Amino acid sequence: MIEKRLDRMEEMLTQLIQVVGTMNSSQHRMENRMDTMETKLHSMETRLEAMEAKNEERHQDILYQLSQLKIDQDIIWDKLSKEEREIQKLKKRLEN
């Protein structure tokens, strides 16, 4: 009877060792996957930072171009106004 109990305990201990071994193996696989995910995440963060910097550069370029267009528009408007005044002056001279 004691021998049966010892055999049973030995069998249970063997099963426990197998379970712990399987869990350790699973844990190592999970750690490897997490390392891979962390590497990919770091790579994505680096790419995102580069994209944000490029977007900011493009944004500043567009703002500059818009300001130049505004200046050009103001110049054209001033020229148009002067020409309109000259046309009106000429019309009045012709009427007289």
Side-chain angles (χ1 to χ4, degrees):
M1 185 158 157
I2 291 179
E3 194 156 317
K4 277 186 176 182
R5 286 180 75 190
L6 287 175
D7 287 343
R8 187 164 179 252
M9 288 175 66
E10 186 178 336
E11 185 180 317
M12 290 173 67
L13 186 58
T14 302
Q15 288 176 350
L16 182 60
I17 290 171
Q18 288 174 348
V19 168
V20 169
T22 302
M23 289 177 68
N24 283 342
S25 176
S26 294
Q27 181 180 2
H28 288 299
R29 282 194 309 271
M30 286 175 53
E31 286 173 350
N32 289 338
R33 287 180 64 198
M34 284 183 63
D35 289 342
T36 302
M37 289 172 63
E38 286 175 349
T39 302
K40 287 181 180 179
L41 179 59
H42 179 70
S43 173
M44 289 172 63
E45 287 172 340
T46 302
R47 287 177 53 206
L48 180 60
E49 288 170 0
M51 288 171 60
E52 287 175 342
K54 187 67 175 176
N55 284 343
E56 179 61 26
E57 179 184 325
R58 289 176 179 162
H59 177 72
Q60 293 302 321
D61 185 46
I62 289 171
L63 288 177
Y64 174 76
Q65 290 177 14
L66 284 173
S67 70
Q68 294 302 309
L69 285 173
K70 174 73 170 116
I71 291 169
D72 290 346
Q73 180 187 15
D74 290 344
I75 291 169
I76 291 169
W77 186 256
D78 286 343
K79 283 184 179 182
L80 180 64
S81 296
K82 288 176 185 176
E83 289 175 3
E84 277 294 320
R85 281 190 296 243
E86 289 298 319
I87 290 172
Q88 291 302 320
K89 286 179 185 178
L90 289 173
K91 280 184 179 179
K92 285 189 179 193
R93 282 187 189 165
L94 288 174
E95 288 176 355
N96 291 335

